[in-house]
Amino acid sequence: MPSSKIVIVGSGFAGFWAALSARRLISLNLEKEGSSDIEVVVIAPDANLVMRPRLYEPNPADMSAPVDDVYRACGVNFVYGIVDTIRAADHEIELVDRAGARSTLSYDKLILAAGSRVVHPNIPGLGSYAFSVDQMEDAVKLDRQLQSLPSKPSGKARNTVVVCGGGFTGIEVATELPGRLRQVLGEKAEFRVVVVERSQDIGPDLGAGLRPFITQSLEDLGVEVKLGTSVVALDAEGVTLSSGERIETLTAVWTAGVAATPLAKQVSDKRDAFGRLHVDQDLRVSSARDVFAAGDAASAAVDDSGHFAKMSCQHAGPLGKIAGYNAAAELLKVPTMPYSQPVYRVCLDLGAAGAVVGNGWEGSVHISGQTAKPVKQFINTTLIYPPKASAEDAFVAADPAFDGADITISHPTLYRYLLDNGIPV
């Protein structure tokens, strides 16, 4: 029986790469006593990597990739189940399997990578009438709603979609909607897409530098933007804004805010405003020394200038790789690797208006429009997908060595794509 166990809760981008990174380091240290006795276990409801960054697109039911074969090739043990209890003091978790049976599992190192969920504040009608693209089942429900619109009585409510929230996700949803609506209602159909954002700025967290291009793209696509107001009520036929305005719609899409997995509350009281666990440079939770956090569960400093990881795929993968590496490193008694991701880039899809790629936390525009569109498409269809079911290929991809300033190191596949297509690096 294995003498040491690394348990990873969650199989999203952070959990997936944490498992592969841990197994990679173990495979590189097989000469060390006890290395072959370290078991890496991933617990999740299913062995599919959901392409959550793509759920704003059409056909979301296809936006996942099976990873059980990759886990097997790399020596990762996958357990189907939902973890609902963490007892950090006892080094135990409780899970419920697909048959509803409850069991307890002990661990030596725990990596919490159970992601996040969209926030549903106490707004009348929100739970009953809002759609979202938060999880795959949510995106599929929205897709079915859009596909069903032609069968509903024509009118303002049928032909209007309100996007509640004008952040990253809200913008991608809104700019994709004109194309989706033309596909289902017809090229000549008259429709209305409205973004409601309580801030005075569209994309308030994306940086001022990108805002003029985003604003122009929304205008070019005919998407209305209502700033400085919020949705205060929803019903079957429309939404009511804090300004008192009512918009008739059968389709309201909620994208306003996310919160980390509630399991974080069971690990530590030291969490940020999103419910993420405060971690040190090794991604270790200070109040629970054998617990690491990664992805949307971790509030991790990316540099020495006060910036913290975003709740995004861009940061989830590197966070997972470092957390997996360090959990294994402590059991192998080799040096850990501090997390650092000093360069931040934004790649935002803007539907038929193309895309925009920005550099830095202020979001200076690097490339935009149709020049940037292939980059976003390459990221969404290739870069974020799992490697082949080969330990050799997977371990190369799981190497946590990261220098955000050097795209040839951090994203060699993307770098080659940009060069091959004459796109500025």
Side-chain angles (χ1 to χ4, degrees):
M1 294 292 291
S3 60
S4 299
K5 187 176 294 180
I6 300 172
V7 173
I8 301 166
V9 180
S11 186
F13 292 105
F16 175 75
W17 288 111
L20 268 55
S21 180
R23 283 294 305 147
R24 171 187 173 275
L25 186 61
I26 293 166
S27 74
L28 293 174
N29 288 272
L30 293 178
E31 78 286 353
K32 288 188 173 293
E33 183 178 355
S35 61
S36 60
D37 293 331
I38 300 175
E39 182 182 6
V40 178
V41 179
V42 174
I43 306 172
D46 61 66
N48 289 296
L49 184 59
V50 175
M51 298 297 119
R52 200 177 181 193
R54 299 190 64 186
L55 293 181
Y56 67 94
E57 299 180 35
N59 306 311
D62 298 330
M63 303 303 180
S64 69
V67 292
D68 49 348
D69 55 346
V70 183
Y71 284 145
R72 281 193 297 270
C74 296
V76 175
N77 294 328
F78 183 84
V79 176
Y80 291 92
I82 297 175
V83 174
D84 61 11
T85 303
I86 297 174
R87 290 188 289 271
D90 299 325
H91 286 64
E92 289 181 344
I93 57 102
E94 287 188 20
L95 66 144
V96 179
D97 67 17
R98 291 188 288 187
R102 178 173 293 275
S103 60
T104 299
L105 189 66
S106 62
Y107 64 82
D108 295 276
K109 303 292 178 182
L110 179 71
I111 301 175
L112 182 59
S116 61
R117 286 266 181 178
V118 70
V119 175
H120 284 90
N122 187 23
I123 295 175
L126 180 60
S128 300
Y129 301 108
F131 296 87
S132 84
V133 294
D134 184 45
Q135 306 295 319
M136 177 176 281
E137 59 268 26
D138 301 318
V140 169
K141 185 178 178 182
L142 171 62
D143 193 54
R144 289 173 179 164
Q145 166 71 1
L146 296 176
Q147 295 295 330
S148 75
L149 291 178
S151 66
K152 302 180 186 299
S154 181
K156 289 183 179 180
R158 186 196 74 166
N159 289 17
T160 299
V161 179
V162 176
V163 179
C164 312
F168 190 104
T169 301
I171 292 169
E172 291 201 322
V173 169
T175 52
E176 191 72 19
L177 275 170
R180 296 178 74 175
L181 289 171
R182 287 191 183 93
Q183 184 180 39
V184 298
L185 296 176
E187 286 294 327
K188 296 183 179 180
E190 294 185 4
F191 55 82
R192 187 182 180 199
V193 177
V194 184
V195 177
V196 178
E197 168 55 48
R198 66 179 180 179
S199 170
Q200 294 297 333
D201 297 309
I202 191 72
D205 297 325
L206 295 177
L210 302 182
R211 197 161 293 130
F213 188 79
I214 293 170
T215 300
Q216 186 61 55
S217 297
L218 290 164
E219 184 178 330
D220 292 345
L221 293 169
V223 176
E224 301 175 42
V225 178
K226 295 183 179 293
L227 300 174
T229 188
S230 57
V231 173
V232 295
L234 302 89
D235 56 53
E237 298 178 343
V239 301
T240 302
L241 308 187
S242 57
S243 62
E245 180 182 358
R246 178 172 171 77
I247 303 175
E248 294 180 41
T249 181
L250 302 182
T251 313
V253 187
W254 186 263
T255 69
V258 293
T261 170
L263 288 172
K265 298 176 183 178
Q266 299 183 31
V267 175
S268 175
D269 292 332
K270 296 179 180 179
R271 303 183 304 276
D272 69 4
F274 298 102
R276 301 183 298 179
L277 291 161
H278 290 293
V279 294
D280 62 18
Q281 277 194 305
D282 287 342
L283 306 185
R284 187 188 299 102
V285 179
S286 59
S287 60
R289 299 296 293 176
D290 289 320
V291 179
F292 296 80
D296 290 357
S299 179
V302 299
D303 56 27
D304 296 326
S305 301
H307 298 119
F308 285 78
K310 293 278 190 178
M311 298 170 86
S312 68
C313 176
Q314 176 180 178
H315 289 112
L319 284 164
K321 292 175 185 180
I322 292 292
Y325 182 98
N326 288 340
E330 291 195 346
L331 294 177
L332 292 164
K333 295 180 173 54
V334 300
T336 57
M337 181 181 294
Y339 169 70
S340 176
Q341 196 170 342
V343 173
Y344 175 58
R345 296 182 175 94
V346 174
C347 189
L348 182 72
D349 199 347
L350 294 169
V356 61
V357 176
N359 290 330
W361 293 90
E362 291 302 314
S364 63
V365 175
H366 180 54
I367 52 175
S368 61
Q370 299 308 320
T371 302
K373 189 71 168 185
V375 177
K376 181 65 174 184
Q377 291 172 332
F378 177 76
I379 291 170
N380 275 12
T381 61
T382 303
L383 195 66
I384 63 176
Y385 277 73
K388 294 189 298 184
S390 153
E392 181 179 359
D393 291 336
F395 288 164
V396 168
D399 186 346
F402 186 93
D403 179 359
D406 188 348
I407 196 171
T408 64
I409 295 174
S410 59
H411 294 300
T413 308
L414 176 58
Y415 177 69
R416 173 50 55 189
Y417 174 83
L418 297 176
L419 288 183
D420 290 347
N421 289 274
I423 299 172
V425 176

